[in-house]
Amino acid sequence: MTGPNFSRVTALISSVMDLHVRIALQEADREKRRLVGGGVMLGLGLTLMTLALVAAELVLLLWIRDAFSLSWLHAAAAVAAIDLVLAGISLRIGGQMLKGPYLPETTAGLMRTTRAITGKF
């Protein structure tokens, strides 16, 4: 292929590639907006969930205090003990779920992320 036909084919291919690049950029922009919006909504949901858990802790504290005629200190200690037991169970289950063989790429990625978060390079 030489001459005018070659330049037409090249121009056509270039035009098609430009179109694909524009479409890909538009899709990437939409995905970025979707991911940012989803992240904001997840953050809002986690914040509201945390506030609800704090309120539930307060209700539990008040209930334990009234139901067992305890002092504020003893009721708070009872709630803290319940929290520690639930935290221990959750950590144990979570640790078991995260155990297992990882692919080398996954291990390397986890190490890089851990180093970036802790500031150790």
Side-chain angles (χ1 to χ4, degrees):
M1 267 178 136
T2 58
N5 287 336
F6 182 73
S7 62
R8 280 188 212 151
V9 170
T10 304
L12 178 63
I13 291 173
S14 177
S15 175
V16 169
M17 290 304 293
D18 287 343
L19 177 64
H20 283 293
V21 167
R22 270 188 266 135
I23 291 170
L25 289 173
Q26 288 172 351
E27 288 175 352
D29 192 46
R30 276 195 302 269
E31 283 296 302
K32 183 173 63 172
R33 282 194 305 267
R34 182 182 66 82
L35 291 173
V36 168
V40 168
M41 294 306 291
L42 282 174
L44 178 63
L46 288 172
T47 301
L48 292 173
M49 180 65 72
T50 302
L51 291 173
L53 286 173
V54 168
E57 288 273 316
L58 181 60
V59 168
L60 180 63
L61 176 67
L62 292 171
W63 179 79
I64 286 176
R65 182 176 179 270
D66 288 343
F68 299 103
S69 300
L70 297 175
S71 69
W72 284 105
L73 185 61
H74 289 108
V79 171
I82 292 169
D83 287 345
L84 282 174
V85 169
L86 291 175
I89 292 169
S90 297
L91 289 171
R92 180 74 174 178
I93 291 170
Q96 291 296 318
M97 290 173 68
L98 291 176
K99 262 184 160 178
Y102 294 107
L103 296 173
E105 295 85 9
T106 304
T107 305
L110 288 172
M111 292 298 289
R112 282 192 303 271
T113 301
T114 303
R115 286 185 190 134
I117 291 172
T118 60
K120 296 178 182 176
F121 295 101

